[in-house]
Amino acid sequence: MSKSGPDFYDDKTVFETYLTHRRTPTNPNDLLESPVFAALVGPVADLDVLDVGCGNAGYGRELLENGAKSYLGIDGSKNMIEASEHVLAGTMGRTILSTIEDYAYPAASFDLVVSRLALHYIENITRLFQQFLTTLRPGGRLIFSVEHPVITSHNSMLPGQRRSNWTVDDYFVTGRRETNWLGGQVVKFHRTVEDYFLALQTVGFVVESLRESRPDRDNFSDVQEYERRRRIPLFLFLAARKPD
Ligand SMILES: C[S@@+](CC[C@H](N)C(=O)[O-])C[C@H]1O[C@@H](n2cnc3c(N)ncnc32)[C@H](O)[C@@H]1O
């Protein structure tokens, strides 16, 4: 049976497989997601940061080391929050166990809201963007990455197999998808690129940047892996600002 995002990461086998996956040197998060995310975020000195779907808060530690004034991560997985307490030990960073949907986003409290690879687990993205707008101070920024819509459109992943082909299908049939991943089944929500963009504009954000995970040859020691990652975009990124 397919699980929601937090329940999926609370499955012992999935969680261990996820950690192993993240530690492999060719993991797409490090090779493709992190470089673009870092470029979009830029300097973080003196910023109050909210990280939505923070996982083990490894990014929180990095933000604090780079001068962020404060860091608050929220995640619905007990496994992730437990891991985050070790990762943030000795820092001023904090995490809270909460679903993204149920967190009471306090008004005008953050300069930067980030979310990395979590929002494709959320059904009602417009409501959430409205909450992000409320919780940001005027001029504050929202930066997020999600699984690219060409990936979420269609579940062509066979359990336990390395993909050699991708199918984009039902692209404009948005909504719930059940996907095999990391030895489990999880529910994701497919939206088009346009849906993300328009939802930001509809609630009042000014969209400042849209990026895809175009691979940078310099980040790859293995040329075959580089060529493989040039076939299809894995991630989509958007950066937006709350008007002053
Ligand atoms: C792919 S992991 C990414 C973690 C972290 N942002 C990173 O990039 O390392 C997705 C995270 O989103 C969390 N998540 C997914 N859906 C959620 C929800 N509805 N409420 C709270 N957390 C959720 C999961 O528990 C998981 O930790």
Side-chain angles (χ1 to χ4, degrees):
M1 204 186 70
S2 294
K3 295 181 170 167
S4 71
D7 288 349
F8 177 71
Y9 289 93
D10 276 341
D11 179 292
K12 190 171 178 293
T13 314
V14 165
F15 186 64
E16 282 166 9
T17 313
Y18 174 77
L19 293 181
T20 308
H21 179 75
R22 289 297 301 264
R23 287 189 200 113
T24 55
T26 56
N27 82 76
N29 302 65
D30 291 344
L31 296 183
L32 296 166
E33 198 265 354
S34 288
V36 178
F37 208 88
L40 287 173
V41 168
V44 294
D46 298 325
L47 300 185
D48 290 315
V49 184
L50 175 67
D51 186 357
V52 176
C54 63
N56 72 358
Y59 187 45
R61 191 162 185 111
E62 190 184 316
L63 289 167
L64 291 165
E65 283 167 1
N66 289 331
K69 194 201 294 177
S70 72
Y71 172 84
L72 176 63
I74 58 172
D75 201 285
S77 154
K78 293 186 196 74
N79 283 341
M80 289 292 188
I81 292 299
E82 207 177 291
S84 76
E85 281 157 10
H86 297 286
V87 169
L88 291 177
T91 76
M92 287 173 42
R94 272 192 326 128
T95 53
I96 295 177
L97 178 66
S98 168
T99 66
I100 293 169
E101 294 89 336
D102 292 337
Y103 179 65
Y105 294 85
S109 301
F110 298 96
D111 306 298
L112 176 64
V113 173
V114 290
S115 181
R116 302 180 71 172
L117 302 178
L119 299 187
H120 47 267
Y121 296 108
I122 305 300
E123 184 166 15
N124 190 342
I125 202 72
T126 306
R127 174 174 177 266
L128 189 62
F129 286 164
Q130 182 64 63
Q131 289 170 311
F132 289 168
L133 195 75
T134 302
T135 208
L136 280 166
R137 299 188 176 117
R141 292 179 302 147
L142 163 65
I143 297 168
F144 67 88
S145 61
V146 284
E147 251 180 48
H148 199 289
V150 298
I151 301 286
T152 56
S153 72
H154 179 76
N155 178 20
S156 54
M157 190 104 145
L158 293 171
Q161 283 193 7
R162 184 173 162 87
R163 263 188 216 198
S164 59
N165 271 305
W166 288 262
T167 304
V168 179
D169 201 353
D170 291 330
Y171 185 78
F172 292 106
V173 184
T174 55
R176 183 183 166 99
R177 299 287 194 273
E178 300 192 7
T179 310
N180 306 310
W181 193 48
L182 301 173
Q185 271 213 306
V186 65
V187 177
K188 295 179 184 173
F189 291 90
H190 168 66
R191 282 175 277 273
T192 66
V193 173
E194 182 180 85
D195 290 339
Y196 281 111
F197 192 97
L198 290 181
L200 287 169
Q201 283 191 329
T202 303
V203 304
F205 274 108
V206 178
V207 180
E208 292 193 325
S209 186
L210 182 154
R211 298 280 307 271
E212 292 170 310
S213 48
R214 180 188 295 269
D216 178 344
R217 179 69 187 88
D218 291 346
N219 295 334
F220 287 75
S221 54
D222 178 347
V223 70
Q224 280 179 348
E225 187 66 15
Y226 171 64
E227 291 300 345
R228 177 176 149 79
R229 294 309 183 195
R230 292 212 303 166
R231 295 186 60 199
I232 194 151
L234 292 193
F235 307 122
L236 171 72
F237 306 79
L238 279 146
R241 187 178 291 277
K242 176 172 179 167
D244 285 326

